[in-house]
């Protein structure tokens, strides 16, 4: 038996191992982000090359010079200041439906921003003000689609994204950004356009002390080409309530051979507006466990919903649905 003497006391090796285990467990429970993983990212200099130039037909036919993005990307800055949050600047530039494209140059990227929504009015107001100020400085063509769940069933975030993706495709958007309403980007260089690989955008979230909890996290804000989203049959419609649907999406992408990518931390900082946690879906782990069996049958091709109303609000396209 190995006995270790510390001061005047002796301990069995097992006692010390147990103590070590308890300390590690304690640190893990109290400070889980000490164990956060470092992640691979695209170096600053490669970002512009990685963004796919793709626009809707109306932008293709626009005359004039192409917009330039180099300075914007290389000079990624912290932009979350009062100026952007407090009021909407030059609201006359935004077209009905929450669409914008720069006037003095031709955009290289067209992006549909899809926001799943129900009863978060204060957050929605903050989101719209900030995002329209933030996005216009990026010189991209974009439109915000708000997909609101009108029924009283548990919230189904993934189904709302499927619906949003279907509507965005009607408007010919080649790139989708699936976006929680309570997340706001802090750096100007996180360009709202798609990369060849699906991109996790909010990898440095303040709520997680700007660390990534695990490498397979693919929730919050993600960019994915419309064609890729269709290829993987969208997201699962079976996740009712909180949790699991984002991990299911990650599994779907992996099983179709799509690796994900990220930008450097100085491009990927986000802040999350405070809110009470939603009720977790008790069934989420069981669903996730069998996720691979359903990829071909559960998703865009099994989407059932009723569109109650579609309205062009001044700051967003409002799609009201019953799931
Ligand atoms: N959401 C909503 N109403 C709800 C629940 C969720 O609008 O009752 C939307 C909203 O866009 C939110 C996202 O779903 O940001 C993800 O939910 P939540 O913020 O609760 O999840 P978290 O990522 O914070 O755990
Ligand atoms: Mn949230």
């Amino acid at each position: 038996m190995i006995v270790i003497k510390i001061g005047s006391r002796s301990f069995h090796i097992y006692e010390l191992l147990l103590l070590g285990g308890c300390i590690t467990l304690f640190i893990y429970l109290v400070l889980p982000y000490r164990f956060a993983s470092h992640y691979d990212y695209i170096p600053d200099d490669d970002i512009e090359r990685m963004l796919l130039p793709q626009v809707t037909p109306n932008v293709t036919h626009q005359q004039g010079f192409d917009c330039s993005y180099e300075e914007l990307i290389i000079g990624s800055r912290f932009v979350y200041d009062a100026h952007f949050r407090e009021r909407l600047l030059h609201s006359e530039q935004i077209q009905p439906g929450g669409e914008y494209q720069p006037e003095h140059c031709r955009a290289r990227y067209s992006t549909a921003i899809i926001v799943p929504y129900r009863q978060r009015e204060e957050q929605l107001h903050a989101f719209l003000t900030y995002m329209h100020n933030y996005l216009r400085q990026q010189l991209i063509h974009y439109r915000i689609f708000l997909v609101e769940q009108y029924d009283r069933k548990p919230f189904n975030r993934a189904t709302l994204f499927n619906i949003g993706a279907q509507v965005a495709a009607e408007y010919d958007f080649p790139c989708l950004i699936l976006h929680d309403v309570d997340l706001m980007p802090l750096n100007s260089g996180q360009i709202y356009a798609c990369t060849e690989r699906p991109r996790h955008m909010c990898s440095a979230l303040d709520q997680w002390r700007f660390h990534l909890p695990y490498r397979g996290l693919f929730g919050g804000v993600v960019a994915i080409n419309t064609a890729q989203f269709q290829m993987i049959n969208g997201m699962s419609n079976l996740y009712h309530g909180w949790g699991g649907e984002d991990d299911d999406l990650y599994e779907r992408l992996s099983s179709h051979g799509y690796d994900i990518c990220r930008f450097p931390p100085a491009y990927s900082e986000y802040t999350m507006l405070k809110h009470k946690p939603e009720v977790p879906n008790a069934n989420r782990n069981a669903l996730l466990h069998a996720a691979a069996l359903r990829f071909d049958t559960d998703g865009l091709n099994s989407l059932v919903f009723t569109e109650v109303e579609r309205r062009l609000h001044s700051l967003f396209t409002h799609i009201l649905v019953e799931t």
Side-chain angles (χ1 to χ4, degrees), residues 26 55 85 123 146 197 247:
F26 178 78
V55 288
R85 274 179 296 154
Q123 295 185 354
L146 189 86
R197 284 185 282 159
D247 296 325

Side-chain angles (χ1 to χ4, degrees), residues 141 175 243 276 284:
H141 166 223
C175 167
K276 284 197 221 107
R284 67 188 189 282

Side-chain angles (χ1 to χ4, degrees), residues 120 182 272 275:
R120 298 247 182 136
D182 55 8
M272 192 177 106
H275 62 79

Side-chain angles (χ1 to χ4, degrees), residues 109-123:
Y109 313 107
S110 287
T111 304
I113 294 154
I114 302 173
V115 183
Y117 178 79
R118 184 167 71 185
Q119 285 183 324
R120 298 247 182 136
E121 271 154 67
E122 212 174 296
Q123 295 185 354

